């Protein structure tokens, strides 16, 4: 459906956006080409689910994660075959690769030699770890790569667990800082730290405490967060609290779901806090007895129609003609539906009404018109 030519120079409503707390001061390091810490953008990580020794399958999954917007990828190295695959994977991956080591310190050295961008070690699991730190620190220093000390409740250092009797925020932090101090004794401070737990509240307390005890970059994660919905909620709650307080330098959303979904959720969390440029955002009402249109289906159709749209847009899909434009005033454009028709609005102003079956086409037309030379206006709206 074609409408008369016009320019979309409607005024953008003035809004006061809440601000986050100042970013916690942390030292900066580099995971390959990705800076972490300091004032660097908060990066999104995920982890492959393939058998690392299957180089082709692992690289294919890394490519999928990269396409989804993943900044850094972690791969498990539980066996010698996996360690042997690291040189090929590190060389061909389009994003930095972190080797995840749990049980054998020699795999740490193998990962460094293989050209991995970083190594994650789990102090509670690696056998004979403490007396090998000098060797590991020297190898990492020579290669110029950082190490993440990754502590979690399931593998807390037995000595610490005995001291506290059960897993606490203080226990997680003490374990992490103890291992950090061993690296510091050898002059190695290119460290990241994580203190993960499946309970968001305990995890929040642990990171808050850790943030006051060191200036190392912090990797946020709710470990074993659960299936998609539960894990997303837990991660969003925990990350939202910490990031609004300025705590956190890189994140990994842990889901019992395909890793690409972890990346998508992580990006949405950051975008919702203004910590990553937004792309497409659908603002849609939850529906109610006043609705005369299937809002759920319409919102899905709008999302599908605008997938891959090259400009960041906030599009509202509202089911109430009376309140829709006002409730979605901060959207770039949108539709309020009812009585088999839709009111198309831009920046809260109704500009035309179309039949229900023409809503998608009308939104696309207005989006193209609105973004023609007006990207700065959209990003600020």
């Amino acid at each position: 459906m074609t409408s008369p030519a016009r320019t979309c120079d409607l005024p953008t409503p003035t809004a006061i956006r809440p601000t986050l707390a100042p970013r916690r001061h942390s030292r900066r390091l580099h995971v390959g080409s990705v800076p972490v810490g300091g004032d660097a953008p908060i990066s999104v990580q995920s982890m492959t689910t393939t058998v690392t020794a299957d180089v082709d399958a692992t690289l294919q999954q890394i490519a999928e994660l990269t396409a989804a917007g993943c900044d850094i990828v972690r791969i498990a190295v539980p066996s010698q075959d996996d360690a042997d695959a690291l040189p090929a994977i590190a060389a061909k991956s389009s994003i930095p690769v972190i080797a995840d080591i749990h049980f054998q310190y020699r795999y740490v050295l193998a990962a460094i030699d293989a050209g991995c961008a970083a190594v994650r070690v789990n102090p509670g699991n690696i056998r004979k770890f403490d007396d090998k730190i000098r060797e590991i620190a020297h190898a990492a220093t020579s290669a110029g790569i950082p190490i993440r000390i990754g502590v979690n409740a399931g593998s807390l250092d037995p000595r610490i667990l005995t001291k506290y009797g059960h897993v606490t925020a203080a226990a997680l932090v003490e374990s992490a800082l103890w291992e950090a101090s061993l690296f510091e004794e050898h002059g190695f401070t290119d460290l990241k730290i994580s203190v993960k737990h499946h309970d968001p509240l305990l995890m929040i307390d642990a990171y808050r405490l850790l943030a006051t005890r060191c200036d190392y970059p912090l990797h946020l994660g709710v470990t074993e967060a659960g299936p998609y919905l539960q894990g997303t909620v837990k991660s969003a709650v925990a990350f939202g609290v910490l990031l609004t307080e300025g705590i956190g330098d890189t994140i990994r959303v842990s889901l019992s779901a395909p890793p690409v979904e972890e990346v998508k959720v992580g990006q949405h969390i950051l975008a919702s806090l203004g910590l990553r440029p937004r792309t497409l955002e659908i603002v849609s009402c939850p529906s109610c007895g006043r609705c005369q249109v299937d809002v759920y289906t319409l919102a899905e159709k709008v999302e599908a129609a605008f997938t891959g749209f090259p400009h960041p847009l906030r599009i509202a899909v509202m089911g109430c003609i009376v309140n829709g434009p006002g409730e979605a005033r901060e959207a770039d454009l949108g539709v309020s539906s009812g009585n088999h028709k839709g009111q198309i609005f831009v920046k809260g102003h109704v500009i035309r009404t179309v039949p229900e079956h023409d809503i998608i086409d009308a939104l696309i037309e207005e989006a193209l018109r609105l973004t023609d030379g007006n990207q700065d206006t959209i990003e600020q709206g």
Side-chain angles (χ1 to χ4, degrees):
M1 181 175 180
T2 304
S3 61
R6 61 180 177 277
T7 58
C8 287
D9 55 357
L10 299 170
T12 299
T14 300
I16 299 176
R17 183 177 177 85
T19 57
L20 308 181
R23 183 90 171 266
R24 164 184 170 268
H25 173 74
S26 65
R27 63 185 70 190
R28 176 183 286 202
L29 52 78
H30 283 81
V31 179
S33 60
V34 178
V36 177
D39 60 355
I42 295 169
S43 53
V44 175
Q45 302 190 23
S46 187
M47 190 169 183
T48 56
T49 58
T50 58
V51 175
T52 301
D54 187 338
V55 174
D56 290 340
T58 301
L59 286 172
Q60 175 60 37
Q61 192 167 77
I62 291 175
E64 294 168 358
L65 290 168
T66 303
C70 188
D71 300 305
I72 299 169
V73 65
R74 184 156 45 105
I75 58 176
V77 188
S79 73
Q80 186 62 53
D81 288 341
D82 299 318
D84 292 341
L86 291 177
I89 294 171
K92 296 179 181 179
S93 173
S94 54
I95 56 177
V97 172
I98 297 178
D100 190 76
I101 315 295
H102 274 266
F103 300 109
Q104 295 291 342
Y105 88 92
R106 68 175 185 274
Y107 296 159
V108 177
L109 301 177
I112 294 172
D113 290 340
C116 290
V119 176
R120 179 265 174 127
V121 296
N122 187 328
N125 279 347
I126 293 184
R127 304 164 192 155
K128 299 180 180 178
F129 178 76
D130 291 351
D131 61 344
K132 302 298 181 181
I133 287 183
R134 179 178 181 178
E135 185 178 2
I136 292 171
H138 177 75
T141 298
S142 297
I145 69 169
I147 291 175
R148 172 161 72 93
I149 296 173
V151 177
N152 58 48
S155 55
L156 191 62
D157 188 310
R159 297 165 294 184
I160 304 296
L161 188 59
T162 298
K163 174 181 175 179
Y164 285 89
H166 60 282
V167 178
T168 67
L172 292 170
V173 171
E174 181 173 331
S175 180
L177 293 180
W178 165 253
E179 296 300 338
S181 72
L182 297 181
F183 280 97
E184 291 166 353
E185 289 178 0
H186 299 287
F188 188 86
T189 57
D190 213 4
L191 299 169
K192 286 186 299 165
I193 299 181
S194 64
V195 282
K196 298 184 181 182
H197 196 277
H198 63 83
D199 181 340
L201 295 179
L202 196 156
M203 174 268 200
I204 289 169
D205 284 347
Y207 277 98
R208 281 173 170 166
L209 178 60
L210 182 60
T212 67
R213 298 281 302 278
C214 71
D215 66 350
Y216 290 119
L218 302 185
H219 170 111
L220 302 187
V222 178
T223 192
E224 301 162 351
Y228 183 85
L229 177 58
Q230 176 179 293
T232 295
V233 171
K234 282 185 173 183
S235 298
V237 168
F239 294 177
V241 169
L242 291 169
L243 292 172
T244 57
E245 295 177 1
I247 298 172
D249 301 288
T250 183
I251 66 171
R252 189 256 173 124
V253 177
S254 299
L255 301 176
S256 298
V260 165
E261 299 303 317
E262 297 184 348
V263 175
K264 293 178 181 177
V265 172
Q267 290 180 333
H268 278 296
I269 291 172
L270 294 181
S272 70
L273 295 170
L275 294 170
R276 178 162 290 212
R278 64 182 174 90
T279 52
L280 176 67
E281 180 182 356
I282 303 295
V283 178
S284 56
C285 72
S287 190
C288 70
R290 295 191 303 269
C291 288
Q292 296 177 328
V293 68
D294 184 347
V295 175
Y296 309 146
T297 299
L298 181 57
E300 290 176 353
K301 289 181 178 179
V302 172
E303 184 175 35
F306 281 87
T307 297
F309 196 75
H311 302 282
L313 284 177
R314 182 179 290 121
I315 303 176
V317 180
M318 312 301 287
C320 179
I321 287 180
V322 175
N323 295 325
E327 292 177 342
R329 192 175 302 278
E330 301 305 319
D332 298 309
L333 74 155
V335 59
S336 293
S337 305
N339 297 321
H340 306 291
K341 58 187 178 181
Q343 289 183 335
I344 306 300
F345 56 90
V346 176
K347 303 294 184 182
H349 298 267
V350 176
I351 58 175
R352 59 173 161 140
T353 300
V354 300
E356 187 174 315
H357 61 268
D358 286 331
I359 287 174
I360 301 297
D361 287 342
L363 288 174
I364 292 174
E365 289 175 10
E366 297 303 331
L368 292 172
R369 184 174 291 111
L370 188 60
T371 57
D372 183 15
N374 290 296
Q375 178 153 349
D376 290 341
T377 299
I378 293 172
E379 290 176 342
Q380 293 169 8

